[in-house]
Amino acid sequence: MLIELYPDSANGLFLAQILLFALALDSALGDPRWLYSVVSHPVVLIGGLIEREEKRLNRPHLSRPWKIWQGMLLSFWVIGISTLVGVLITWAAGWLPLGWVLEVLAVSSLMAFRGLYDEVKRVAVFLDRSLADGRWAVSKIVGRDPESLDDAGVARAAVESLAENFSDGVVAPLFWYCLLGLPGLCAYKAINTLDSMIGHRSPRYEAFGKFAARLDDLANLIPARLAGLFLVVGAALHPAADHRKAWKVMRRDARKHNSPNAGWQEAAVAGALDFALAGPRRYGKSVVDDPWMGNGRSKLGSDDINAALSLYILAGILAAVTAVGVLVLLG
């Protein structure tokens, strides 16, 4: 499909150049608030579509099998529209004068490398000010009850979010863009947004969001493991990390996580920096009694968040270089 949409996609240089520009733009600007105060972010648009259709389709009186079916219909509808938008932008990039700029902007907006860094860095800065400020900052990136967290809990939550979202926000978008171009990247972001909005085990979404949650697990199956590997290799370049222990802990503990994917990144970070991550956590009134990833320190602070951020940067650079290299070599 991409060979038909692009005028000259056989050598992959076109896609590689677009990805390079997009990554540079994302690294420099992230998600500029001034821009998205004027126009809606693509993920916000996808979320708005999901929210509107969920209210229409997810009726309390429906049977469980019918809710699952309705959730499947919503998922296919949202993914289909998102993919079609990606196809149209891809066509414009290949055939219209300066159309490639539109694809650069689209790809950049769907990458979260700088945005994730900024959100987690803010937790470290605010935690240095006070526990209350740290709780407020971490509440923007995790779903657990911030009032139940002490200083170490805030720091650990930030590191865990950084590790888990390294796959969702960086490696998986790169993977799907390399595999299927912008249409694949748009489809992935739709799947990921569906999971974040309706893929919960709550009474409202347990049946309706079941398909979306399983589809997200499938879409992240390979990227999550690649993300773990990038973190292990990044640890070899990090002066304070141990790549051998990162590899050992990832292989030993990743499958203990209640998520089929998140454990690979969390275990790799835990082993690399001698942390203990995951473990029991509170979400609202419920406590999730997860096993620990790693057997290091669980009492973390802002300095540990910064150490994890530096490892994240190294792993992100490795992921970006790999993605661009794949496009150039394989087309």
Side-chain angles (χ1 to χ4, degrees):
M1 181 178 68
L2 290 178
I3 292 178
E4 295 173 355
L5 289 172
Y6 288 119
D8 182 19
S9 63
N11 58 22
L13 285 175
F14 188 66
L15 284 173
Q17 289 169 349
I18 285 178
L19 183 57
L20 271 175
F21 280 120
L23 290 170
L25 187 61
D26 174 65
S27 298
L29 299 179
D31 291 329
R33 296 185 182 182
W34 60 268
L35 176 61
Y36 294 118
S37 65
V38 179
V39 296
S40 296
H41 191 282
V43 173
V44 173
L45 293 175
I46 295 172
L49 177 61
I50 295 169
E51 183 177 16
R52 183 176 70 250
E53 294 303 309
E54 187 273 335
K55 291 178 180 178
R56 185 173 68 86
L57 296 173
N58 190 15
R59 302 297 179 86
H61 66 275
L62 296 176
S63 66
R64 187 173 186 276
W66 191 251
K67 284 186 176 182
I68 293 175
W69 172 248
Q70 294 287 75
M72 289 177 62
L73 288 179
L74 172 60
S75 297
F76 285 128
W77 169 246
V78 173
I79 295 166
I81 290 177
S82 302
T83 304
L84 178 60
V85 171
V87 169
L88 293 174
I89 296 175
T90 298
W91 177 86
W95 294 98
L96 297 181
L98 296 180
W100 61 273
V101 175
L102 185 60
E103 181 160 348
V104 168
L105 294 174
V107 174
S108 175
S109 69
L110 297 176
M111 296 288 175
F113 182 72
R114 173 65 183 270
L116 178 58
Y117 176 91
D118 288 344
E119 291 292 335
V120 176
K121 180 65 176 180
R122 181 169 63 177
V123 177
V125 172
F126 278 43
L127 185 59
D128 277 337
R129 296 180 186 175
S130 70
L131 175 58
D133 287 342
R135 285 172 171 170
W136 177 85
V138 84
S139 70
K140 303 300 179 182
I141 59 174
V142 299
R144 66 196 70 174
D145 178 15
E147 298 304 316
S148 68
L149 301 175
D150 57 9
D151 290 73
V154 169
R156 199 164 57 246
V159 173
E160 290 164 2
S161 180
L162 179 70
E164 180 176 355
N165 286 291
F166 175 53
S167 176
D168 293 359
V170 180
V171 177
L174 288 171
F175 176 84
W176 287 108
Y177 185 74
C178 287
L179 192 65
L180 296 172
L182 183 59
L185 173 55
C186 290
Y188 171 74
K189 294 306 290 189
I191 292 169
N192 194 238
T193 307
L194 280 160
D195 178 64
S196 66
M197 294 187 68
I198 65 173
H200 309 301
R201 296 178 181 176
S202 63
R204 180 180 180 91
Y205 296 120
E206 188 277 328
F208 187 80
K210 192 176 187 65
F211 177 78
R214 295 296 177 267
L215 191 59
D216 184 73
D217 288 342
L218 183 62
N220 283 292
L221 195 67
I222 296 175
R225 286 148 182 81
L226 289 174
L229 288 175
F230 286 129
L231 287 163
V232 170
V233 178
L237 306 175
H238 193 292
D242 185 340
H243 67 283
R244 292 183 180 85
K245 190 171 182 181
W247 173 252
K248 177 182 177 181
V249 172
M250 183 179 71
R251 292 189 63 193
R252 186 191 68 196
D253 293 347
R255 292 181 179 85
K256 297 178 182 178
H257 203 284
N258 68 346
S259 165
N261 296 319
W264 296 89
Q265 309 93 272
E266 289 191 25
V269 171
L273 299 173
D274 198 27
F275 295 162
L277 300 177
R281 303 187 298 279
R282 178 178 294 276
Y283 294 88
K285 296 181 180 180
S286 61
V287 176
V288 178
D289 191 17
D290 283 345
W292 291 96
M293 303 285 106
N295 51 5
R297 296 179 293 111
S298 63
K299 297 293 184 181
L300 306 186
S302 59
D303 289 343
D304 297 308
I305 299 177
N306 289 326
L309 282 168
S310 60
L311 176 60
Y312 165 80
I313 291 173
L314 290 170
I317 292 172
L318 289 168
V321 170
T322 302
V324 172
V326 166
L327 289 174
V328 171
L329 293 175
L330 301 181

